Amino acid sequence: MLSNSRGPETLATLVGELGPLARAATVDEAIAAGDLVAIPLPLANYESLPAGKLDGKVVIDQTNYYPEASDFHSAVLDSGELTSSELIQRHLPEAKVVKAFHNLDWHHLSFNARPEGHPERTTLPVAGDDPAAKQLVKRFMEAVGYDVVDAGSLAESWRIEPDTPIYFWPYAPAIPDGLTPDEEKRYYLEHIGEPVSREQARELIDKAERPSPIGGSLAGLPPAHVAIFLELASGATFRR
C-alpha cells in the first residue's frame, strides 16, 4: 500500500506498474494497514510524521542526513549527539524504528534484488534497538531479494550512514571509461555493482569511521547518480 502527501490519485501510474497486489491510499490508511511502515522521505520532513498514529508500528527508516542538499540542519546531528535514526526514534517514541533500505538509490533498490542463492545476490545492513522489530525487517529484506547483516543499535547506525564504506558505492556499477554523459547515466541504470557478501558487509561496517563533518554530500556519491538525481529534480523521467 502506497501513500504520499499529494493524495492516492497521484500514485495511479506507479500502482499500475507494480501490479494487482499494489494499491494507493491516504497516509492514515497506509499506516493503519501496515505491519511495516517505510518512510522514504527527506529527513527535513521528519516532523510531519504523525507520531501517535505510528505508535506500536515497526518503522523502516530510509532517511539520510544531507545538509548540503537542503535547508535542513540539526545541531544534535552535526554534533554526533544523535544519529539520524535516533532523531526519528525520538520523534516516534512509541514506534520501533529500524534503519534499513537507505544506503542504495531508489533504482538499484529494486534492480539489485535477487532470489536467495543467486550468485549476484547482495547484502544490505540493518540497525535498530528492538530485536524483534529488527528481525521482522530482516525477514522482509530477505524475502524481497537481499541478504542482511546486523549493524547494531540506532546509536551505532552512523556506521551505515552517508560517507561510510557500505553506503552507496558498493551497490553502484563501475562506469567504463570513454562514455558520454548520457551513456554513463544509461549504463548506471542498466547495471549493478559487484555483489557484497555478508562477510564483506561486516568488514565494511566494522572499519567505518565517523565522518567529519557529519552528513552526506553530493560529492560523496557516484557522479552518474548525481546527474540523474539533478535531472529528475528538474522533471525528467528515466526508465531502464
Side-chain angles (χ1 to χ4, degrees):
M1 184 178 293
L2 310 178
S3 68
N4 64 17
S5 61
R6 300 183 302 279
E9 65 280 358
T10 65
L11 294 166
T13 299
L14 178 57
V15 167
E17 291 175 354
L18 291 173
L21 296 182
R23 65 188 181 98
T26 66
V27 171
D28 288 351
E29 289 170 339
I31 290 172
D35 295 322
L36 298 172
V37 180
I39 51 168
L41 79 166
L43 184 61
N45 298 342
Y46 81 95
E47 290 182 317
S48 67
L49 294 169
K53 293 176 181 177
L54 287 161
D55 287 356
K57 295 287 185 177
V58 176
V59 174
I60 301 177
D61 173 25
Q62 295 177 259
T63 66
N64 287 300
Y65 186 39
Y66 274 86
E68 173 196 272
S70 71
D71 294 328
F72 175 69
H73 291 263
S74 167
V76 295
L77 298 185
D78 291 338
S79 67
E81 178 183 344
L82 297 177
T83 64
S84 58
S85 291
E86 287 181 299
L87 184 66
I88 298 293
Q89 182 67 83
R90 189 171 71 174
H91 179 66
L92 307 175
E94 300 303 320
K96 301 169 184 177
V97 174
V98 178
K99 187 78 167 181
F101 288 135
H102 67 289
N103 64 317
L104 70 168
D105 68 83
W106 54 270
H107 172 76
H108 287 105
L109 182 59
S110 61
F111 192 41
N112 291 24
R114 296 291 188 273
E116 185 174 1
H118 193 285
E120 291 183 343
R121 184 164 163 115
T122 196
T123 303
L124 297 179
V126 63
D129 294 340
D130 186 288
K134 193 156 49 174
Q135 183 63 23
L136 180 63
V137 173
K138 177 178 178 289
R139 292 201 305 270
F140 175 68
M141 296 168 74
E142 290 171 339
V144 299
Y146 291 94
D147 292 335
V148 182
V149 66
D150 192 334
S153 66
L154 294 182
E156 296 172 298
S157 65
W158 64 264
R159 293 182 174 276
I160 57 177
E161 287 183 341
D163 292 342
T164 61
I166 202 168
Y167 187 80
F168 232 97
W169 283 94
Y171 309 100
I175 305 296
D177 294 334
L179 300 183
T180 68
D182 284 343
E183 289 171 339
E184 287 184 0
K185 288 180 287 188
R186 184 60 56 191
Y187 189 95
Y188 182 83
L189 291 172
E190 294 178 347
H191 295 81
I192 64 174
E194 292 295 321
V196 178
S197 69
R198 291 185 181 93
E199 294 75 20
Q200 290 169 325
R202 169 56 57 199
E203 181 180 348
L204 292 173
I205 292 167
D206 289 346
K207 75 177 185 181
E209 297 181 2
R210 199 158 200 178
S212 180
I214 292 173
S217 66
L218 296 182
L221 294 170
H225 170 77
V226 174
I228 292 168
F229 170 80
L230 293 175
E231 291 198 26
L232 287 172
S234 70
T237 300
F238 283 91
R239 299 289 183 192
R240 66 172 173 85

